[in-house]
Amino acid sequence: MTAIVKQQQVEAPPVAKAGYVLPGLGHLLTGRLVVGVGMLTIDLVLLFAAFGLFRLPEIVKYDTWGGIPIHPIIAVISFFAMAGAQWFAAHRLVRPRQLTEEEENSNWNLFLRDFSRHDTGMLGFYGVVLMIGVTLLTPLLAPFDPEDVGVGTKLMHPDVWGYLTGAPDALPLGSDVYGRDYLSRLLYGGRISMSIGFVAVGLAASIGTSVGAIAGYFGGWVDRGLMWFVDMLLSLPRLVLLLAIVGMFRVTGVASIFLIVTILGLTGWMGVSRIVRSQVLSLKQQDFIQAARALGYGHTRIVFRHLVPNALAPVIVYCSLAIGGTMLAEAGLSFLGLGVAPPTSTWGTLVSDGREYLRQAGFLTVLPGLCIVMAVMSFNLLGDGLRDAMDPKLRGTK
Amino acid sequence: MFKYLLRKLLLVLPLLIGVVTLVFFLIELSPGDVADKFFTPETTPEVRQQIIAKYGLDKPAWFRYLLLIKNLAVLEFGTSIAHGRDVTTLIWEYLPNTLLLSSVTLLVIYPVGIALGTFQGVRQGSLFDSTASVVSLFFYSMPSFWLALMLQLYFSYRFDLLPTSGMHDPVEYDYMTRPEQIVDTLKHIILPGVAMGVASAAGAARYMRSSILEVIRQDFVRTARAKGLPESTVIRKHVIRNAMLPIVTLLGLSLPFLFSGSVLIEIVFAWPGMGRLIVNSIFSQDTPVVIGCFFVFTLMVVIGNLIADISYALVDPRIKYD
Amino acid sequence: MRIPALLALLAIAGCSGDSGPSQDAEKKWETRDTLVIAVQEDMDNLIPVVSQSAADSYIEGAIYFPTIDSEFDCSLKKIPALATEWNWSDDGTVISLTLRDDISWEDGTKVTANDILFGYDLVRDPAVASPRISYVQHAIEGKFPLVVDDTHLEFHFTHAYDRDTQAAHISAIPALPKHLLGEADRASLRKHAFGKSPMSAGPFRLAAHEPGQRIVLEPNWNFTGPEEYRPKLNRVILRVIPEYATRLIELEKGTIDLMQSVQFEDVDRLAKEHPNLRLVRRGWRSMDYVAWNQQNDLFKDVKVRRALTMAMDVDHMMSQLLTSDSGEVYGRRSVGTITPALCGVHNDDIQPLPHNLEQAKALLAEAGWTDTNGNGVVDKDGQELSFTLTTNNGNPRRAKAAVFIQDYLKQAGVEVKIETLAANTFFENLRKKDYQAALSGWSAGLFVDPSTIWHSDVTKGVDPQAVNHETPNCSDTVTDNCVERRYEFNFVSYNSAKADELIEQGLRTPVPSESAPIWQELQQVIYEDQPYTFLWWMDEVIAVDSRFENTSIDVLAPFGNLHDWSVPADKVKYER
């Protein structure tokens, strides 16, 4: 323990100041490779987004939601917030926060310390930050209106170099069969994919937590009944169940997004409920709950104010892993033609639409597929890292 | 043991009824008349009534539900609306193919994943461990249908190593000897098997690795080491054997996952299995087949879990059931 | 323990085909090579009365001997097959047929007039609930057909109508073996084993069917018909491959010989990289259009409809959607619902409205639509010209076209919202007229009958389904050749006294050469009214290995007359 305290009191080497010029450079030069590279990548994204700021008047014309350019506004706010966060991180490297002995040993700081040393976890963390960042900045990053059919001719092949050097007929990642810019489509598609992942998992986590807490807290018949239901749903292949529901209901248009999110949420909560239940079962016996009962608090209050917050850590880990799974499930649905209705697209629908041209323009299938792999992998890496860092048994093994 | 089994079996029944009920009410709630597909504008009202009566669609929902349960009790799934044939026959035509694909995947790909996870766990923190972790996570994070397309494009088309789709050579198969036929079928299984199984194998490797890490820290391992047993013996006799136990449960639990994968993989590789049957039935709103397929899927999963439970009980002497 | 179990499973899965090819059967004439065809969906049932899938109709064409064979050249030409002669009575209400006496089923039983009667009995029987019931809607009960003796029979109609259509109605159901199916329970006819292992009277027989995978046809060595109907191929194998990308890879690897509906984007590359492939066009089988619902106030004015048409750059859409890389266009502008393949009937003189944005805007202004509030959308009496364009999902071409249309109309100050509905909901809505504008399509009928689409009183229509006897009655697929035919109706509520009169006059004229001018005038009348914006007629490209000769790929079928197909001895690919 003492060694760690010492290490944090050591002044950062002078090269760390390079971070003020370019956030991330300081980390890189002081040997924190993963953080450095991660932050530099974010710098690059912010740089591209900065160009987008000049195109704002044009962007607000096509990216509106009911007449209000809500996404561009979010993007601009996020841009400055992210830039600020980057420089703040660079600053923290030069002047680490001095911690008191007590803070030093708090669970939160132990967790932070363990997590920041978890290389693959950090890789996942920066992957996720990058994904979320790109999602938020999408309007600024996308060079064209993703729905504009006049940007290119049909099935242009990717030509990053040509685009950057200003060749007349070049698009960075080519165009789809309508002649729409594929980079923009990928970015906007990612926005929907990520949103679906987050919202669906949020929904699943809420349902799962409630069910698990209720089952664990009340026990007896309630527990047995609910867990029987959970077992039943778990024994059904999820994709087939999803397919049956979406296929039977066949809602299209914008409503399809809501339907898909809801159904992904409704079919994804069983894992969470099992975790929360087992947490609650062990917490229930502890003194603070007994005390709360003795004080005569109501069930609702005990469950949601005392039990659930204490059972949340493993849920967060699970959610991180589940976002990946949800994105894969959404992609699978899209592949069967039951995804989000056009012209809106997700990475899943892009793969699905692109496969018709697999031989002619393979990048239409390869690129969104790689995006899915990268996003899902980031969430999984992050989840693994969080789990390891939160597990007291593993603490100090590295 | 016998009593335990009996109790487990008794739980299977309500589970199956629950699944069927769920699917039935989903279908009931969904819009659209199943019988619509038979009607053209020229269909006279009388013919329409006849068709509706023929499939019992004129009865109230609760009646049809009870009828369904009654029929299922004697394993009678009814008649497919789209194909006009017994659902049981239909399922029998497709089920063996899916079982073949999933069992080859399970039996070949899983051991590979388990072995990988074992090596990783034993050499925790090594370069091999972290590389393998990232690589297996890469495959774990991949949409199976996308992998399938890539395998097809590269291994079947570009390098021309393996057949593209189907279960066997369409032209020569009829004239092959039995051993040749088996080899031919195996050749056709490789790509879909890999596409379907890689994610599961990566999952198994992850699971096995953490299981090994769990076991390796336990007291009995420390004791074994303290006794002066060579490290290899400790790993082989104590660690791996104990770490394998939870994997047995994983096998049971991964069946639904495999079936989910089969839906997409069977379409890409034109594999004539249950996945394609159920997708087509859902699209044509062929209720009896959909319910039949769900029933069979659940039954498979339940049987898988049961086998896992039993083998768990058999291999783990600590567990006593009564 | 694992391995033997696995082998057992392999063995089970391996012998799923119920009957292998009859290897011991003696060849009675020379045959060579195997044709492998990729199909999208499996066969279902081979009893023509109840069959449904596309594969069913291909196979039925090869295993049953048709009453009257046909080929298409500007109109349907009738070729003698089972029937050697057919004659109309003077009033056009009776057709009498004379049959060959040398055709027999595989088991040696002769095919007689009673077998034809049996087929129509089944169609008519309500217990069978045949989807082909409309073939007999103009039949006189008990005389459709009236069997005179084993080789002579008469079909009696309630009234005379177009002779090609009548001929189609009497040859749509081939002779069926009464001696095998006569006793079958009709209510469960679809379950009868015959549907999966039928008996052949035609050139081929069904040798094996592996569900979801493969259908094997081999020559019917017991075929007793004319020599020119004898197959020249060893086998024809239909492989079921649902994915386009997979079919294309199989085609390029040479593991399939024929593939339908090759995308235009792939055509040039295939031609360049695979010189062994012949790419054949099947012309003008289906069209796309935008229907303007004239119950909706927005589209009641013909000026608005004409303006909307003129605002669309149809030629540019075609260059983007129906064109290969080298610029070859696989389609032509449509000016009506009658296919250009019906050469004498299609009105070639109609000039499509030109794309002219300014004129379109002027027309809109003339109709009272101007942008008074400067928001880019034209309005009239406080209402904006903004509507939802609905189309069905699962059709990439229409989805693309919708995006283009949205873009074009925006330039003319018209706001379009795109809505994509599942195919069944979409056609349901069209039928109920519950839509504003719809992007949809028709398959070409190879007979002229505009009544159900354009007559203001739909009850007067003749069933257009019946006139598509050669195309499958696909009921569970959403491919564009199929769905359109299910709900024939005057979706747009088109109401023109002049058109009604021409339709009725045309339908009463049995002789095609006399009715042609009437139909041409009708097309002109309808085009002036622009109830639809007619977009285009499309080609289908079929890729086939060039070693096959005498391939009949025409408007009628993607691979018809399989008995004609042959391979020269020096080009044989498969020994067996």
Side-chain angles (χ1 to χ4, degrees):
Chain A
M1 232 16 103
T2 46
I4 296 148
V5 176
K6 254 185 217 155
Q7 191 200 355
Q8 284 197 339
Q9 279 163 351
V10 164
E11 274 298 314
V15 280
K17 291 207 171 98
Y20 284 123
V21 183
L22 192 61
L25 200 57
H27 287 86
L28 196 66
L29 294 176
T30 49
R32 298 177 67 183
L33 287 176
V34 177
V35 181
V37 171
M39 287 179 65
L40 284 173
T41 318
I42 295 170
D43 284 341
L44 194 68
V45 170
L46 287 172
L47 180 74
F48 280 114
F51 287 115
L53 287 174
F54 296 104
R55 289 179 47 246
L56 262 181
E58 191 189 322
I59 292 167
V60 292
K61 273 190 211 150
Y62 58 78
D63 194 11
T64 59
W65 211 62
I68 310 158
I70 185 98
H71 288 119
I73 293 172
I74 295 176
V76 173
I77 297 172
S78 318
F79 175 78
F80 289 107
M82 282 175 74
Q86 285 284 85
W87 266 290
F88 182 70
H91 173 68
R92 266 277 169 267
L93 180 74
V94 182
R95 293 245 168 90
R97 202 150 69 106
Q98 297 302 315
L99 300 170
T100 65
E101 187 88 7
E102 198 183 329
E103 278 174 334
E104 192 72 43
N105 288 321
S106 74
N107 264 332
W108 173 244
N109 276 301
L110 286 176
F111 159 75
L112 276 190
R113 192 200 65 207
D114 281 351
F115 184 70
S116 65
R117 289 192 201 154
H118 197 292
D119 275 353
T120 51
M122 282 307 271
L123 196 69
F125 174 73
Y126 275 99
V128 169
V129 169
L130 195 72
M131 290 291 162
I132 296 176
V134 169
T135 303
L136 291 172
L137 298 174
T138 294
L140 296 178
L141 290 172
F144 299 98
D145 177 357
E147 314 288 337
D148 185 355
V149 292
V151 175
T153 51
K154 73 174 178 183
L155 299 183
M156 283 164 65
H157 279 251
D159 186 0
V160 180
W161 182 244
Y163 177 71
L164 290 177
T165 51
D169 284 332
L171 288 175
L173 296 183
S175 65
D176 69 359
V177 75
Y178 305 83
R180 298 182 291 198
D181 174 49
Y182 210 53
L183 174 60
S184 305
R185 305 241 0 120
L186 279 173
L187 288 166
Y188 277 86
R191 183 162 93 181
I192 305 285
S193 284
M194 295 281 290
S195 312
I196 289 180
F198 270 95
V199 179
V201 169
L203 183 64
S206 333
I207 301 174
T209 308
S210 311
V211 172
I214 291 167
Y217 181 75
F218 290 104
W221 277 109
V222 179
D223 184 24
R224 252 172 285 172
L226 286 174
M227 284 304 117
W228 174 79
F229 191 61
V230 166
D231 280 344
M232 184 179 89
L233 289 181
L234 275 176
S235 66
L236 289 172
R238 185 178 183 194
L239 186 70
V240 183
L241 187 62
L242 281 170
L243 186 71
I245 304 176
V246 184
M248 293 277 174
F249 283 89
R250 308 255 181 114
V251 178
T252 44
V254 183
S256 68
I257 300 182
F258 296 107
L259 177 81
I260 286 168
V261 165
T262 314
I263 290 176
L264 282 169
L266 288 179
T267 52
W269 55 271
M270 293 83 78
V272 182
S273 74
R274 278 189 163 182
I275 292 171
V276 173
R277 174 178 169 270
S278 67
Q279 287 279 313
V280 167
L281 279 181
S282 67
L283 284 171
K284 197 160 79 164
Q285 305 307 326
Q286 289 186 9
D287 295 341
F288 71 100
I289 300 296
Q290 304 293 349
R293 276 196 197 171
L295 283 171
Y297 288 161
H299 289 315
T300 328
R301 178 162 176 169
I302 295 178
V303 170
F304 289 101
R305 296 282 289 276
H306 300 280
L307 282 174
V308 168
N310 283 293
L312 224 50
V315 173
I316 292 168
V317 173
Y318 183 87
C319 284
S320 176
L321 297 171
I323 289 177
T326 308
M327 289 173 75
L328 289 181
E330 187 272 326
L333 270 184
S334 304
F335 184 79
L336 295 169
L338 294 173
V340 170
T344 313
S345 55
T346 64
W347 286 332
T349 51
L350 288 177
V351 173
S352 171
D353 294 346
R355 74 185 199 270
E356 298 264 304
Y357 310 98
L358 190 64
R359 290 283 295 110
Q360 184 72 5
F363 66 94
L364 291 180
T365 317
V366 175
L367 291 176
L370 283 177
C371 287
I372 296 176
V373 176
M374 262 163 55
V376 176
M377 200 168 155
S378 301
F379 280 106
N380 283 336
L381 284 170
L382 175 68
D384 281 357
L386 289 177
R387 187 184 50 204
D388 289 355
M390 277 177 191
D391 188 352
K393 274 183 285 177
L394 288 173
R395 191 153 286 163
T397 47
K398 270 197 174 180
Chain B
M1 184 71 204
F2 179 72
K3 261 171 88 181
Y4 168 78
L5 259 182
L6 200 70
R7 209 169 50 204
K8 275 268 166 192
L9 274 174
L10 280 177
L11 277 175
V12 169
L13 217 58
L15 191 74
L16 284 173
I17 295 178
V19 167
V20 168
T21 312
L22 187 79
V23 176
F24 180 84
F25 283 103
L26 271 178
I27 294 170
E28 275 305 306
L29 283 173
S30 71
D33 192 342
V34 182
D36 262 352
K37 65 193 293 353
F38 285 106
F39 303 138
T40 58
E42 287 73 27
T43 314
T44 56
E46 297 81 56
V47 174
R48 198 186 163 97
Q49 273 315 307
Q50 267 159 357
I51 293 177
I52 286 179
K54 192 166 166 182
Y55 292 97
L57 297 169
D58 51 344
K59 307 278 192 314
W62 63 267
F63 182 85
R64 274 179 291 135
Y65 174 71
L66 290 182
L67 193 72
L68 176 74
I69 297 291
K70 195 201 94 190
N71 286 341
L72 286 182
V74 289
L75 288 179
E76 166 71 49
F77 296 102
T79 308
S80 155
I81 297 178
H83 307 276
R85 305 173 54 215
D86 280 335
V87 175
T88 321
T89 343
L90 212 56
I91 288 179
W92 268 117
E93 283 173 356
Y94 291 91
L95 185 63
N97 302 335
T98 293
L99 284 183
L100 175 71
L101 183 57
S102 347
S103 50
V104 171
T105 310
L106 267 178
L107 298 180
V108 178
I109 304 250
Y110 262 69
V112 174
I114 291 170
L116 184 71
T118 309
F119 280 116
Q120 280 182 265
V122 172
R123 299 201 176 79
Q124 191 208 355
S126 67
L127 183 66
F128 170 78
D129 178 27
S130 39
T131 320
S133 284
V134 175
V135 170
S136 66
L137 201 66
F138 178 72
F139 285 107
Y140 188 67
S141 310
M142 197 174 273
S144 60
F145 60 88
W146 185 76
L147 177 64
L149 289 171
M150 295 298 122
L151 288 174
Q152 225 175 31
L153 187 59
Y154 287 96
F155 288 89
S156 176
Y157 185 70
R158 291 273 153 82
F159 309 138
D160 197 9
L161 294 174
L162 291 162
T164 314
S165 70
M167 270 185 78
H168 42 66
D169 191 294
V171 180
E172 302 296 338
Y173 187 78
D174 299 319
Y175 302 98
M176 289 176 177
T177 60
R178 195 36 40 134
E180 278 173 346
Q181 288 184 336
I182 291 179
V183 170
D184 183 58
T185 308
L186 283 175
K187 256 163 80 184
H188 281 78
I189 289 182
I190 296 176
L191 288 186
V194 168
M196 193 162 113
V198 154
S200 310
R206 277 156 62 86
Y207 203 84
M208 186 66 190
R209 176 178 177 271
S210 55
S211 178
I212 292 260
L213 292 185
E214 191 89 4
V215 174
I216 221 162
R217 276 196 299 271
Q218 303 225 339
D219 289 340
F220 68 89
V221 175
R222 216 167 292 162
T223 316
R225 283 194 181 135
K227 274 196 300 192
L229 286 177
E231 185 64 19
S232 60
T233 319
V234 175
I235 298 289
R236 216 160 7 95
K237 285 245 167 93
H238 296 272
V239 178
I240 295 182
R241 194 168 282 185
N242 283 293
M244 282 292 282
L245 289 175
I247 293 291
V248 179
T249 333
L250 180 75
L251 270 177
L253 281 175
S254 56
L255 273 176
F257 188 74
L258 272 183
F259 286 142
S260 281
S262 74
V263 172
L264 303 167
I265 298 302
E266 283 174 3
I267 291 176
V268 176
F269 287 101
W271 191 271
M274 288 285 281
R276 259 168 72 194
L277 180 66
I278 197 167
V279 170
N280 288 336
S281 311
I282 288 172
F283 279 127
S284 56
Q285 306 218 332
D286 196 345
T287 324
V289 185
V290 174
I291 291 180
C293 289
F294 266 102
F295 188 88
V296 170
F297 270 143
T298 317
L299 200 64
M300 292 305 194
V301 172
V302 169
I303 291 172
N305 282 340
L306 214 57
I307 293 173
D309 275 350
I310 296 168
S311 25
Y312 201 90
L314 289 180
V315 287
D316 191 345
R318 286 172 307 186
I319 298 175
K320 287 266 179 294
Y321 298 98
D322 36 40
Chain C
M1 193 188 86
R2 286 170 178 178
I3 301 303
L6 201 61
L7 286 180
L9 202 57
L10 273 172
I12 295 170
C15 58
S16 51
D18 32 16
S19 56
S22 47
Q23 293 169 17
D24 45 348
E26 205 183 311
K27 276 193 181 188
K28 292 190 180 144
W29 58 87
E30 200 195 355
T31 56
R32 276 192 291 271
D33 213 342
T34 297
L35 166 67
V36 186
I37 298 170
V39 289
Q40 215 171 330
E41 51 166 352
D42 198 3
M43 69 168 232
D44 222 22
N45 193 313
L46 296 178
I47 304 177
V49 180
V50 289
S51 63
Q52 287 180 341
S53 83
D56 290 347
S57 69
Y58 302 145
I59 300 166
E60 282 162 10
I63 64 175
Y64 297 111
F65 201 60
T67 310
I68 300 173
D69 214 351
S70 48
E71 75 183 16
F72 193 86
D73 180 19
C74 279
S75 69
L76 213 58
K77 300 281 184 278
K78 297 173 275 292
I79 301 169
L82 183 57
T84 50
E85 269 177 60
W86 47 88
N87 296 299
W88 267 267
S89 65
D90 290 339
D91 62 354
T93 59
V94 179
I95 309 176
S96 30
L97 299 181
T98 309
L99 305 183
R100 300 178 71 98
D101 60 356
D102 59 349
I103 305 292
S104 57
W105 299 100
E106 279 179 79
D107 62 3
T109 315
K110 281 261 185 292
V111 177
T112 68
N114 280 309
D115 289 335
I116 294 181
L117 171 65
F118 177 62
Y120 280 91
D121 267 351
L122 290 179
V123 172
R124 228 185 337 254
D125 192 338
V128 175
S130 167
R132 313 244 183 316
I133 187 108
S134 52
Y135 292 149
V136 295
Q137 63 181 340
H138 302 304
I140 290 180
E141 190 81 39
K143 288 184 174 178
F144 200 85
L146 179 74
V147 175
V148 180
D149 59 41
D150 275 0
T151 53
H152 292 88
L153 67 164
E154 290 169 354
F155 284 89
H156 292 253
F157 295 86
T158 51
H159 63 274
Y161 52 97
D162 176 57
R163 291 195 168 176
D164 283 351
T165 314
Q166 282 183 322
H169 283 170
I170 64 161
S171 55
I173 306 289
L176 290 174
K178 190 178 182 184
H179 63 291
L180 293 175
L181 285 170
E183 303 300 313
D185 173 31
R186 296 193 173 180
S188 58
L189 190 66
R190 298 160 125 253
K191 283 191 196 176
H192 198 282
F194 189 87
K196 285 282 164 183
S197 47
M199 180 169 281
S200 163
F204 285 92
R205 66 181 290 273
L206 182 74
H209 173 223
E210 292 155 17
Q213 190 178 191
R214 202 172 65 130
I215 301 152
V216 184
L217 300 178
E218 63 180 11
N220 172 12
W221 298 116
N222 296 321
F223 182 61
T224 52
E227 229 167 85
E228 63 267 25
Y229 275 93
R230 287 180 177 175
K232 284 99 195 157
L233 298 171
N234 275 334
R235 286 188 298 168
V236 176
I237 296 174
L238 281 80
R239 290 184 62 190
V240 187
I241 306 176
E243 267 287 299
Y244 176 81
T246 310
R247 287 198 295 277
L248 190 65
I249 288 178
E250 294 271 17
L251 178 76
E252 293 193 47
K253 276 184 80 173
T255 39
I256 58 175
D257 298 317
L258 185 146
M259 173 175 167
Q260 292 168 255
S261 306
V262 175
Q263 286 185 1
F264 308 132
E265 285 83 4
D266 288 311
V267 170
D268 288 340
R269 193 179 45 80
L270 284 180
K272 202 175 77 196
E273 292 175 14
H274 303 277
N276 65 312
L277 290 178
R278 212 149 49 81
L279 295 150
V280 189
R281 279 188 189 203
R282 272 180 86 204
W284 310 319
R285 283 307 313 275
S286 51
M287 66 165 297
D288 283 336
Y289 59 83
V290 184
W292 311 111
N293 189 346
Q294 282 135 57
Q295 287 187 345
N296 191 308
D297 288 334
L298 292 179
F299 306 119
K300 279 196 170 141
D301 191 340
V302 63
K303 283 183 192 140
V304 173
R305 300 196 298 265
R306 290 179 75 95
L308 291 170
T309 302
M310 292 177 91
M312 294 182 204
D313 190 349
V314 180
D315 288 324
H316 181 250
M317 277 198 268
M318 285 171 66
S319 75
Q320 291 294 305
L321 301 176
L322 305 179
T323 306
S324 69
D325 293 348
S326 62
E328 184 78 26
V329 183
Y330 290 86
R332 65 180 270 181
R333 280 290 295 264
S334 151
V335 293
T337 49
I338 288 174
T339 170
L342 289 160
C343 341
V345 183
H346 181 261
N347 190 336
D348 291 329
D349 299 331
I350 300 175
Q351 286 303 315
L353 288 175
H355 169 59
N356 189 329
L357 196 58
E358 290 317 310
Q359 227 172 314
K361 282 181 183 166
L363 263 174
L364 281 177
E366 220 175 289
W369 294 94
T370 43
D371 188 6
T372 53
N373 56 3
N375 68 344
V377 182
V378 295
D379 51 88
K380 177 184 176 182
D381 308 333
Q383 198 196 1
E384 305 214 304
L385 189 47
S386 159
F387 59 87
T388 307
L389 177 67
T390 314
T391 187
N392 60 313
N393 68 355
N395 186 322
R397 184 190 60 254
R398 271 180 218 153
K400 288 170 207 169
V403 177
F404 277 114
I405 291 170
Q406 185 180 38
D407 204 47
Y408 293 135
L409 295 189
K410 195 172 163 186
Q411 293 170 30
V414 179
E415 188 185 39
V416 179
K417 292 181 282 263
I418 299 174
E419 180 186 37
T420 317
L421 293 177
N424 56 351
T425 324
F426 175 64
F427 292 105
E428 187 74 28
N429 287 357
L430 281 187
R431 203 165 50 145
K432 289 190 300 201
K433 304 181 182 177
D434 179 15
Y435 70 99
Q436 293 182 298
L439 177 56
S440 186
W442 291 118
S443 293
L446 295 178
F447 309 96
V448 188
D449 178 13
S451 60
T452 41
I453 303 178
W454 300 121
H455 200 288
S456 60
D457 178 3
V458 288
T459 54
K460 287 194 180 166
V462 174
D463 166 36
Q465 185 174 19
V467 301
N468 283 295
H469 78 294
E470 87 297 337
T471 44
N473 168 26
C474 11
S475 43
D476 48 355
T477 51
V478 243
T479 56
D480 44 334
N481 276 333
C482 291
V483 262
E484 286 89 343
R485 234 170 295 118
R486 288 180 56 206
Y487 301 119
E488 278 79 8
F489 260 140
N490 186 348
F491 299 142
V492 291
S493 307
Y494 178 65
N495 191 342
S496 153
K498 176 78 181 150
D500 286 356
E501 192 195 315
L502 286 169
I503 290 169
E504 281 162 33
Q505 193 189 342
L507 286 179
R508 278 194 309 267
T509 314
V511 185
S513 61
E514 290 168 18
S515 58
I518 305 173
W519 298 134
Q520 295 205 350
E521 190 184 347
L522 177 72
Q523 292 167 60
Q524 185 70 44
V525 168
I526 294 175
Y527 196 77
E528 291 304 318
D529 284 339
Q530 288 287 310
Y532 291 176
T533 291
F534 299 99
L535 296 174
W536 46 67
W537 286 98
M538 286 160 293
D539 289 346
E540 183 196 2
V541 176
I542 292 177
V544 60
D545 193 289
S546 51
R547 71 177 191 274
F548 293 95
E549 292 178 348
N550 303 321
T551 56
S552 34
I553 296 171
D554 58 16
V555 180
L556 283 180
F559 41 90
N561 297 344
L562 283 169
H563 53 264
D564 281 339
W565 292 49
S566 63
V567 176
D570 56 328
K571 287 188 186 163
V572 170
K573 179 172 176 185
Y574 301 110
E575 288 305 317
R576 287 177 290 226

